[in-house]
Amino acid sequence: MLQRIAERLTDIRTDRDYRTNIGSAVALEPAQHPDDDALGLTLAALAIQRDASKPHGQHRLLQALVEATVPASLVDAHARSHAIAADIEDALADWLPLPNGLPVQVEDIVFLDRPEGLPVVAVQVALTIRYRR
């Protein structure tokens, strides 16, 4: 499931009518980004739970986090962070990760200025994906 979402996020490029090119640096592991000076987008699973609102225990909720980092040294780091968040939301809007599934839901968007003293501005986009196993 995460791989399919990651593939969808690679479409985020200005030549496809998005605001940014963050789709050129999508990873499933944070260590895959070269250094703190590079733009990067990381997708990670947070939890998988049974959907209590559905009978028979066949439905699941996958909670995931998309985190983008923007070098804080850029003059427009905060504006670019907001553009990235909008691009992520646009890329996933009404998109079905599985046939006969439900669209990915963007739950929260959080902006972090230099988290833990790192030289980056970070954007965290929390997602929920409902699916049947």
Side-chain angles (χ1 to χ4, degrees):
M1 180 77 69
L2 287 182
Q3 185 63 44
R4 290 184 53 83
I5 296 168
E7 289 168 7
R8 177 69 175 193
L9 295 174
T10 63
D11 287 344
I12 300 175
R13 298 193 318 254
T14 56
D15 64 355
R16 294 195 176 180
D17 295 327
Y18 287 96
R19 298 161 195 85
T20 68
N21 286 310
I22 196 68
S24 64
V26 177
L28 295 174
E29 296 290 337
Q32 293 176 356
H33 296 304
D35 56 46
D36 291 334
D37 293 329
L39 287 169
L41 190 68
T42 303
L43 176 64
L46 300 177
I48 298 174
Q49 300 173 333
R50 184 177 66 82
D51 187 346
S53 67
K54 300 292 182 183
H56 310 298
Q58 296 295 315
H59 295 82
R60 299 286 182 259
L61 297 174
L62 168 63
Q63 295 172 320
L65 183 70
V66 181
E67 183 174 80
T69 54
V70 177
S73 60
L74 296 176
V75 174
D76 63 346
H78 286 277
R80 200 174 297 196
S81 297
H82 283 267
I84 289 168
D87 281 347
I88 293 168
E89 196 162 19
D90 288 350
L92 298 175
D94 299 322
W95 176 69
L96 301 174
L98 295 171
N100 301 317
L102 295 173
V104 174
Q105 292 182 310
V106 172
E107 300 292 347
D108 295 302
I109 299 173
V110 177
F111 300 94
L112 305 172
D113 187 16
R114 298 177 188 259
E116 299 180 35
L118 295 174
V120 297
V121 174
V123 180
Q124 294 180 332
V125 180
L127 308 174
T128 300
I129 301 97
R130 287 177 170 77
Y131 65 97
R132 185 178 178 144
R133 66 176 194 109

